[in-house]
Structures are given as C-alpha cells and as structure tokens.
C-alpha cells in the first residue's frame, strides 16, 4: 500500500478571521492563495488550536477579531497557544457595500481573514488583565457618578412636579438631603416614591466614597505612585483625573505623536472636504468619552488656576464661543500631560 506522508506547512502562513459571539465563534481559514474552510465552533481557543495543528502542522498562524463584548481574553489565550492574534477596531475594517447588505457571521469572519491576508488591518493596543481591572475600577466610579446624577435629577423632577420648593441651601450636602427627607407628601404613595429615591441617592454616595478610597489606594501603589506625583503638578489635574489618564492611556509611548494622542482622546475636528472647500463640523465622534469629558472639565479648573492658560482662554474667547475655546485649552492641558509623562519631569 502507498503511504501518504504527513503534510508540512513550514514556511507558510495561515490566516484566521474570527467573528465572536457568546455561544459560538465563526471561523474562516485562508491560506496565502485560497480559502480553506468557514465553519462555526464552540467559543474555545483550544478547539481552534487543535484544528490548526491537525490540518496545518508547521505553519505560522495569524488570527484577527473585532474588539467587542468579549474583551481581550481570546487574544490572550490564542497568543499563549502560539497564534499571532491581533484585535481591530470594527470601524476601521474596510467593508464593501455588498458586505454591509449581506451582513452575516460567515461573511464577517471571511472578510476579516481576507483583509488580514492583504495586510489592510491595523491592530489596536491590547492591555494586560491587571491593566484592564485597574481601568475597570476607575470606569466603575464614573458609572456610579452618572447614576447619582440621574438620581438627583429624578428627585428634583418630583419636587417640581408637585410644586414643592427646593430648600435654599447648598445643594446635595448632608443637611440638604435631610431637609428633603422631612418633606411631607399628600399620600403614603408620594412619601414612598420620594423616600425611595433619597435612599438610592444615599446608597450611591456611599458607593462613590468607597470607590474614591479604592482609587486613592491604587494611586499610591508602586505602579502608579511616580506618575501620579508628576501629573499632580499640572494645574487642573486631580487625583481622579490623573488615575483616569494613567489607566486609559496605559503607556504614553504607544502614541507616535501629539496628534495621534489627540485623535485617541477625541480632541480633533471632523472635516468634510470636496474640491477646494473644507468644512469643519465640530469635534470628531471617534473618541474616548471618559477622557475627553474629563479633560474638558479639568480645563475649566486649569484656566482659573494657571495665569498663562487664563490669558490664552481670554484671547480665544474674543473670537469664538467659550465652549470652543475651552476645547483648545483642553488640548494644551493634554500636551502638558504628555510632556510630564514622556520626559518624567514635573511641570513648572
């Protein structure tokens, strides 16, 4: 009988496009010139690795998937099994009109594999598990602050709905909340409604205070202590803002230029040009929402504390709206942040 030798793919590259869902992965496998197979498998990296080693022994494996709900654990597991995996921004994947109209899992993973093979995809930065969890702590605080703001608005709306005057004192202090708790409604239903919202507010205030303490303790850890000290020398940068910057940016050196950093944060304009005409249509919608909003808030603080920024803001406000002027101040503030992190020098 004729013996069949085991295929050897040494020196060849196999490209894998992945479209991930909670219960399954759609996988499309391509060689340098052909599509091998597109199939669905359970969401387990080991099953894909076994299939590749069994059918393409000795090959170099490159995989890609779009950033989404599953985070970066598939990337970590595939890398551990020797598969060079990248993660891409879904908005940056070149897509034809036909692919948009025929949007299916198999179409999506096949598209990714083809774009990976033709070197049309640009990988995003993948943080470590520890960096993700530190970032999650800061983002959890921001989520709680949003819930607290919504709760406060609901309480004020209830008072306005029934024509009840808001106590004339600093809002949302402990005394202010106690005054609200003493307001009598006409029925037991009204009392229950108002008291439930007030109890929720008190609970959220306690959760935010606990998160503030956790973030403060994290800022004093060896990993963040030095950069925290540098950032706190920049006017307008508080502890929370500094930790947000450090956990979101992770490594300032991954940004090739200041424009690259501004693009990531979202402090660049959207433009629409045709021929010789170019229109600026506000700030770009591509942004890190948390960083951009926090930098703008910090810029309002900085213009009151830093005479140079105050002078610049006053000059800008003479020829544009203050809301536009503060965005330019936020860019200058971001440039200062970049300087102290890259040079490892305090701001003076």
């Amino acid at each position: 009988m004729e013996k069949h030798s085991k295929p050897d793919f040494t020196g060849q590259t196999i490209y894998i496009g992945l479209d991930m869902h909670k219960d399954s992965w759609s996988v499309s496998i391509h060689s340098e010139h052909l599509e091998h197979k597109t199939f669905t498998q359970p969401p387990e990296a080991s099953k894909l690795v076994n299939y590749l080693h069994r059918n393409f022994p000795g090959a170099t494996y490159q995989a890609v998937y779009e950033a989404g709900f599953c985070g970066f654990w598939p990337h970590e597991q595939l890398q551990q099994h020797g598969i060079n995996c990248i993660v891409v921004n879904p908005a940056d994947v070149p897509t034809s009109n036909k692919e948009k109209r025929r949007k299916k899992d198999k179409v999506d993973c096949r598209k990714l594999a083809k774009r990976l093979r033709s070197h049309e995809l640009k990988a995003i930065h993948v943080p470590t598990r520890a960096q993700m969890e530190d970032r999650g702590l800061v983002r959890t605080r921001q989520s709680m602050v949003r819930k607290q703001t919504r709760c406060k608005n609901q309480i004020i709306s209830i008072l306005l709905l029934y024509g009840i005057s808001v106590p004339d004192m600093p809002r949302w202090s402990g005394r202010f909340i106690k005054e609200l708790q003493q307001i009598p409604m006409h029925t037991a239903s009204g009392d229950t409604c108002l008291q439930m919202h007030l109890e929720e507010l008190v609970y959220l205030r306690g959760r935010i205070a606990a998160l503030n303490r956790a973030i403060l303790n994290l800022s004093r850890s060896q990993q963040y202590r030095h950069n925290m000290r540098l950032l706190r020398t920049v006017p307008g940068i508080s502890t929370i803002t500094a930790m947000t910057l450090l956990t979101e940016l992770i490594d300032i050196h991954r940004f090739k230029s200041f424009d690259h950093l501004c693009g990531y944060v979202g402090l660049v304009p959207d433009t629409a040009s045709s021929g010789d005409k170019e229109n600026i249509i506000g700030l770009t919608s591509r942004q890190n929402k948390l960083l951009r909003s926090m930098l703008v808030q910090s810029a309002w603080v900085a213009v009151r504390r830093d005479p140079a920024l105050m002078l610049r803001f006053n000059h800008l406000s003479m020829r544009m709206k203050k809301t536009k002027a503060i965005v330019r101040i936020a860019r200058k503030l971001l440039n200062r942040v970049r300087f102290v992190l890259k040079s490892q020098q305090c701001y003076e």
Side-chain angles (χ1 to χ4, degrees):
M1 273 180 80
E2 181 182 358
K3 290 186 177 180
H4 294 282
S5 60
K6 190 176 181 180
D8 185 5
F9 285 83
T10 302
Q12 297 191 37
T13 304
I14 299 300
Y15 301 92
I16 307 105
L18 301 168
D19 189 53
M20 298 188 172
H21 296 277
K22 178 182 176 182
D23 300 320
S24 64
W25 290 357
S26 294
V27 183
S28 185
I29 300 176
H30 293 237
S31 67
E32 292 283 1
H33 305 287
L34 297 171
E35 177 182 346
H36 165 67
K37 191 177 182 180
T38 299
F39 58 93
T40 301
Q41 68 156 61
E44 300 174 20
S46 58
K47 291 188 178 296
L48 175 60
V49 171
N50 292 337
Y51 182 89
L52 293 172
H53 287 169
R54 186 171 62 250
N55 290 276
F56 308 100
T60 299
Y61 311 114
Q62 293 191 13
V64 60
Y65 69 92
E66 295 177 344
F69 76 98
C70 63
F72 300 112
W73 67 263
H75 172 274
E76 181 181 355
Q77 292 190 6
L78 291 171
Q79 290 284 116
Q80 290 174 353
H81 285 91
I83 297 178
N84 181 23
C85 181
I86 65 171
V87 186
V88 296
N89 185 338
D92 291 340
V93 179
T95 306
S96 66
N97 181 264
K98 184 177 181 181
E99 289 168 335
K100 289 181 180 179
R101 292 179 177 274
R102 294 179 58 240
K103 182 166 176 55
K104 297 180 181 178
D105 295 342
K106 289 186 176 181
V107 173
D108 289 344
C109 65
R110 189 178 289 120
K111 171 185 64 179
L112 286 170
K114 290 179 179 178
R115 299 293 184 265
L116 180 63
R117 183 174 62 185
S118 58
H119 307 289
E120 297 179 42
L121 300 178
K122 184 177 180 180
I124 64 173
H125 179 75
V126 178
T128 65
R129 175 67 179 267
Q131 290 168 342
M132 285 281 292
E133 292 183 2
D134 290 346
R135 177 187 285 179
L137 175 65
V138 179
R139 289 183 175 182
T140 299
R141 178 195 176 275
Q142 184 64 17
S143 175
M144 290 291 179
V145 169
R146 286 197 298 268
K147 290 179 181 179
Q148 178 182 249
T149 301
R150 182 183 62 187
C151 185
K152 290 177 179 179
N153 291 337
Q154 289 171 336
I155 292 170
I156 294 300
S157 295
I158 290 173
L159 299 180
L160 293 175
L161 179 65
Y162 297 112
I164 301 172
S165 300
V166 178
D168 185 17
M169 62 181 67
R171 286 200 178 185
W172 309 118
S173 61
R175 184 182 165 208
F176 181 82
I177 294 175
K178 287 182 180 179
E179 287 291 330
L180 295 181
Q181 291 171 337
Q182 302 303 318
I183 293 177
M185 304 296 283
H186 285 189
T187 64
S189 299
D191 284 331
T192 301
C193 177
L194 180 59
Q195 294 304 320
M196 284 295 178
H197 283 295
L198 289 170
E199 288 176 14
E200 182 185 10
L201 176 61
V202 172
Y203 172 78
L204 289 172
R205 283 163 63 94
R207 294 300 85 201
I208 293 171
L211 286 166
N212 287 340
R213 290 192 295 270
I215 293 172
L216 181 60
N217 290 334
L218 181 63
S219 71
R220 292 169 177 168
S221 65
Q222 185 177 358
Q223 181 180 357
Y224 296 104
R225 186 188 308 130
H226 179 64
N227 284 334
M228 271 292 302
R229 182 176 62 83
L230 296 176
L231 287 176
R232 293 288 281 119
T233 62
V234 180
I237 301 296
S238 64
T239 299
I240 295 297
T241 303
M243 284 303 297
T244 304
L245 287 163
L246 293 175
T247 55
E248 293 292 334
L249 300 178
I250 297 177
D251 181 11
I252 195 66
H253 295 94
R254 69 188 179 95
F255 300 99
K256 298 177 182 178
S257 63
F258 179 59
D259 287 340
H260 184 197
L261 176 59
C262 285
Y264 174 78
V265 175
L267 292 174
V268 293
D270 258 343
T271 58
S273 60
S274 178
D276 297 332
K277 296 182 179 179
E278 181 173 350
N279 297 321
I280 297 177
I281 47 179
L283 287 176
T284 178
S285 58
R286 293 184 58 138
Q287 58 176 303
N288 182 308
K289 291 184 179 180
L290 180 54
L291 272 184
R292 188 164 85 177
S293 63
M294 193 157 285
L295 277 169
V296 171
Q297 292 173 20
S298 297
W300 283 112
V301 177
V303 294
R304 292 173 172 84
R305 295 184 178 178
D306 188 320
L309 289 180
M310 179 184 291
L311 182 62
R312 178 61 179 163
F313 178 74
N314 290 340
H315 287 164
L316 289 170
S317 299
M318 295 174 66
R319 56 186 179 88
M320 63 180 66
K321 294 181 179 179
K322 291 182 179 180
T323 51
K324 291 185 176 181
I326 202 64
V327 171
R328 286 160 173 78
I329 300 300
R331 279 179 63 99
K332 292 183 73 68
L333 194 62
L334 182 59
N335 198 20
R336 292 180 177 183
V337 168
R338 178 174 179 264
F339 168 78
V340 298
L341 291 178
K342 290 200 73 171
S343 66
Q344 291 293 289
Q345 298 177 21
C346 296
Y347 177 77
E348 296 180 0

